[in-house]
Amino acid sequence: FRHSQNSRSCLTLKDFSSDEIKRLLWVSGDLKHRIKHEKQYLPLLQGKSVAMIFEKRSTRTRMSTETGFALLGGHPCFLTSQDIHLGVNESCTDTARVLSGLCDIVLARVYSHSTLEELEKEASIPIINGLSDLYHPIQILADFLTLQERYGSLTGLTVSWIGDGNNVLHSFMMTAAKLGVHLRIATPKGYEPEQSIIHEAQKLSKQHGTQLVLTSDPMEAAHGSNVLVTDTWVSMGQEDEKKKRLKDFRGYQITMQTGSMAKPDWTFLHCLPRKMEEVDDHVFYSSRSLVFPEAENRKWTIMGLMVSVLTDYAPQTPLMKF
């Protein structure tokens, strides 16, 4: 993985080929099998450290990275905006250069994607996007590992996104076609994904022979789907818009009625934290809901990504079926 480009950053899966994404998922599944199920100790990151920059708080991103990196023998260093104020008390340029001399990799969870681009430009170590306003690549790796475990393969699956045209959706759009997955997207008018990302996703769909449907009708999006996905309607920093958003997203709650449009084997994903208006309890706590395995897989996929970027590790388990 590293041979193609030493010190590989991951700001968006747009930059990763189909084979590279598949290998990341294979390494993640392999580490999960060896460590969780076979109880092996694999100190693959011994002597290495990760700087974790968090402009936005998080449960899953922090816990998965800290516990995963430590499980592999490495040392995570958590930095909040009280410890490090990017571009305020020190420029991104200086921060990137300082951290390059102190640790082996940076995971940054930021408001603006341009912050990541600035860090990556100046750093001599890999920068991993822990979430930005534009993309959330590490969430999507967890989602596709979860679906591969559930369905046995990914090619030919249909994923339906019903909700906001946000960073998680953008990452789905940069990844699904590369894994042979069809994407059906419903967003309210005015909440569509970014035009440039739609354009890129259309190119990817054409290239990989998958379907991409964009609509404002949740039932149309759910039609014939294997997986229903949603996310928060009000992201961090959008609290002022809450009242308007709740009104605009009326009819977008995922219920068993939404599921009645999907295939008989349909399942449900949500990156969490979840609010009642997005999906009702009947779906969220049902056997169709994969949200808790999905949350756990955040750990195995960040481990898979870090190991792939920082080492020459070769998976020991047979090639994952895609």
Side-chain angles (χ1 to χ4, degrees):
F1 185 86
R2 291 170 74 224
H3 297 295
S4 59
Q5 184 184 337
N6 204 19
S7 226
R8 180 80 181 267
S9 287
C10 178
L11 303 194
T12 165
L13 292 169
K14 177 183 175 181
D15 302 334
F16 285 66
S17 70
S18 174
D19 286 344
E20 287 171 334
I21 294 168
K22 287 174 182 176
R23 185 174 173 84
L24 287 174
L25 294 172
W26 180 26
V27 170
S28 302
D30 174 85
L31 293 175
K32 184 177 183 179
H33 177 75
R34 294 185 69 191
I35 296 169
K36 183 180 181 180
H37 301 295
E38 294 191 346
K39 309 296 181 195
Q40 295 182 32
Y41 176 55
L42 301 176
L44 300 170
L45 300 180
Q46 194 158 13
K48 296 194 186 296
S49 56
V50 55
M52 300 165 58
I53 300 173
F54 277 51
E55 290 184 341
K56 287 178 150 188
R57 67 185 186 276
S58 166
T59 303
R60 280 147 294 276
T61 303
R62 179 176 180 180
M63 283 298 295
S64 59
T65 307
E66 285 200 10
T67 59
F69 210 82
L71 192 53
L72 292 164
H75 181 75
C77 308
F78 182 71
L79 302 163
T80 68
S81 52
Q82 289 173 307
D83 305 297
I84 187 167
H85 208 170
L86 284 173
V88 177
N89 61 339
E90 186 168 36
S91 71
C92 279
T93 297
D94 294 2
T95 297
R97 292 180 184 184
V98 167
L99 291 177
S100 293
L102 295 174
C103 61
D104 301 277
I105 191 165
V106 172
L107 178 133
R109 186 174 169 91
V110 298
Y111 282 98
S112 172
H113 194 77
S114 60
T115 302
L116 293 170
E117 292 171 336
E118 204 174 332
L119 286 171
E120 199 223 1
K121 184 165 167 273
E122 298 296 337
S124 56
I125 56 174
I127 307 293
I128 306 297
N129 180 357
L131 174 142
S132 71
D133 57 345
L134 208 52
Y135 294 113
H136 198 357
I138 58 176
Q139 179 62 52
I140 293 317
L141 292 173
D143 288 1
F144 279 120
L145 180 62
T146 307
L147 295 179
Q148 198 282 335
E149 290 172 340
R150 175 64 173 235
Y151 292 100
S153 67
L154 296 171
T155 306
L157 285 181
T158 298
V159 169
S160 296
W161 177 274
I162 297 170
D164 192 14
N166 66 9
N167 49 6
V168 180
L169 174 58
H170 288 165
S171 286
F172 262 118
M173 293 170 76
M174 292 299 101
T175 313
K178 294 173 187 174
L179 297 171
V181 173
H182 309 296
L183 205 48
R184 300 176 68 85
I185 298 164
T187 53
K189 287 185 171 59
Y191 295 91
E192 295 87 356
E194 285 212 6
Q195 200 55 49
S196 61
I197 291 171
I198 293 175
H199 182 65
E200 183 67 26
Q202 286 168 335
K203 279 200 320 197
L204 286 170
S205 275
K206 201 171 174 185
Q207 187 185 332
H208 294 277
T210 59
Q211 294 170 355
L212 176 66
V213 174
L214 291 108
T215 177
S216 57
D217 180 354
M219 290 302 183
E220 186 189 342
H223 184 75
S225 179
N226 300 99
V227 190
L228 304 181
V229 193
T230 193
D231 186 13
T232 181
W233 296 347
V234 187
S235 294
M236 272 185 250
Q238 295 175 337
E239 289 80 6
D240 295 350
E241 305 169 30
K242 185 175 179 179
K243 201 173 167 187
K244 182 179 188 308
R245 282 178 165 265
L246 290 182
K247 180 170 165 281
D248 293 345
F249 280 82
R250 207 166 284 151
Y252 272 73
Q253 186 190 46
I254 293 181
T255 64
M256 286 297 177
Q257 190 184 350
T258 323
S260 70
M261 300 297 292
K263 288 187 177 158
D265 67 347
W266 70 273
T267 53
F268 173 74
L269 292 178
H270 191 304
C271 65
L272 308 180
R274 160 258 186 175
K275 305 284 188 300
M276 276 287 293
E277 61 265 13
E278 300 147 8
V279 52
D280 68 9
D281 279 353
H282 200 36
V283 171
F284 189 78
Y285 292 111
S286 73
S287 59
R288 296 182 180 277
S289 175
L290 305 179
V291 297
F292 299 112
E294 177 189 11
E296 183 195 329
N297 278 338
R298 287 290 306 277
K299 175 172 171 169
W300 302 110
T301 46
I302 196 66
M303 288 164 69
L305 178 59
M306 298 280 192
V307 164
S308 297
V309 165
L310 291 174
T311 77
D312 293 320
Y313 178 75
Q316 306 298 299
T317 48
L319 180 64
M320 188 178 270
K321 190 177 175 217
F322 293 101

